[in-house]
Amino acid sequence: MKKIGFLSFGHWSDSPHSQTRSASDTLLQSIDLAVAAEELGADGAYFRVHHFARQLASPFPLLAAIGAKTERIEIGTGVIDMRYENPMYMVEDAGAADLIAGGRLQLGISRGSPEQVVDGWRYFGYQPAEGETEADMARKHAEVFLRLLEGEGFARPNPRPMFPNPPGLLRLEPHSPGLRDRIWWGAGSNGTAVWAAEQGMNLMSSTLKFDEGGAPFHVQQADQIRAFRKAWTEAGWDREPRVSVSRSIFALTTDLDHAYFGDDGQSSDQVGFIDGPNRAIFGRSYAAEPDVLVEQLAGDEAIAEADTLLLTVPNQLGADYSAHVVENILRHVAPALGWR
């Protein structure tokens, strides 16, 4: 059995071929898609976060709105770039959104991916300390965020407050119990996956990672997951971690499916470079008739290792078509693989 959700990049464009022409279109259709996915029986609604781009950027209003309009589905991000974040303000926003959703937030955070502008986090008022990298800064922000989510008081109260205080040091409010255990780290390498385990975060692995050995993408990703689980055990955490992988999977059941994604059936892993000299491997897309997909996906080692599968959806084709993509997997593929 696996949890199956969708991951939306939240693009919009004024192209006549796009069903999301504005930020408003994308936000409102994201809510509609989450509601539809819950009705179809999907387990999660996740959204990418990118700054300075025509994509979703401020996740918490969207997550709170979805939380208020749904009852069961998990709601998350994949991922929030911690280089840009004030951990204290983020704790307050996350706590409020999680309480509105009744404890269903699953927040993916990370160092982030290459952005639209050079050193965009500087415009947000952040810069690495001397001798540190931007990745170090992201991890420091994450560590503060995790510590504050535990809900321990740390701030000395005013002896003459405007409103009465509880006894002792004060914490940030609103506090959402349990949210600390629902934080995921988006890891691009085996080393960062191990670090995430040491911090007690779940693992979120996308459709790309740094190339570490030259094996096919799904094999490298499976190795990453196994390294994470080993480090988790060695760290001595008293709960079972969760692991998600993302995939572009399209079951071709209609003429429209074939028109949009029929050519993707010949997809293969790609190797390229991100952040300068870093060699990365990008996982293939899957597009075929359901019976062929079942055979192909049965051989994906990383999906087998994960407990959660996030399906990337083509949000610019509209919420109705994205829901169709999810429904095709839930109805025609997942049962044959034992995921349902």
Side-chain angles (χ1 to χ4, degrees), residues 32 79 108 142 162 172 175 191 195 207 227-228 233 246 256 271 279 301 331 337:
D32 292 342
V79 292
M162 181 178 294
L172 292 171
H175 173 66
W195 178 81
T207 52
F228 167 80
T233 299
S246 303
L256 194 57
V271 173
R279 179 182 166 98
E301 291 186 21
R331 177 176 296 183
L337 286 162

Side-chain angles (χ1 to χ4, degrees), residues 55-136:
Q55 292 177 249
L56 299 170
S58 53
F60 292 109
L62 174 61
L63 299 176
I66 293 173
K69 296 203 70 172
T70 57
E71 297 180 356
R72 178 192 57 79
I73 197 168
E74 294 179 343
I75 310 163
T77 52
V79 292
I80 298 173
D81 188 334
M82 294 303 291
R83 295 174 296 180
Y84 288 76
E85 293 298 323
N86 177 325
M88 292 197 175
Y89 204 102
M90 187 176 172
V91 164
E92 294 179 343
D93 278 353
D98 193 42
L99 291 170
I100 290 171
R104 289 182 283 133
L105 245 57
Q106 302 284 341
L107 288 181
I109 65 176
S110 188
R111 173 264 188 204
S113 58
E115 292 293 301
Q116 297 296 106
V117 300
V118 176
D119 296 346
W121 28 270
R122 294 188 187 276
Y123 297 98
F124 279 58
Y126 303 112
Q127 63 180 16
E130 186 172 350
E132 292 183 342
T133 67
E134 59 190 87
D136 295 330

Side-chain angles (χ1 to χ4, degrees), residues 314-332:
N315 80 284
Q316 284 188 277
L317 295 179
D320 289 344
Y321 187 78
S322 291
H324 164 76
V325 169
V326 175
E327 182 179 20
N328 265 354
I329 302 304
L330 294 175
R331 177 176 296 183
H332 300 296

Side-chain angles (χ1 to χ4, degrees), residues 139 142-143 146 150 180 183 185 187 190-203 224 227-239 241:
R139 291 190 187 195
E143 288 166 351
L146 294 173
E150 293 172 357
R180 170 62 177 82
I183 307 301
W185 184 260
N190 290 8
T192 51
V194 168
W195 178 81
E198 292 168 349
Q199 305 305 310
M201 289 185 280
N202 303 307
L203 176 64
Q224 181 192 49
F228 167 80
R229 292 193 188 281
K230 180 175 183 290
W232 184 277
T233 299
E234 291 173 350
W237 299 104
D238 60 0
R239 65 179 176 87

Side-chain angles (χ1 to χ4, degrees), residues 147-168:
R147 185 170 66 252
L148 294 173
L149 283 176
E150 293 172 357
E152 296 297 324
F154 63 92
R156 184 166 60 89
N158 187 338
R160 293 181 293 278
M162 181 178 294
F163 306 105
N165 280 324

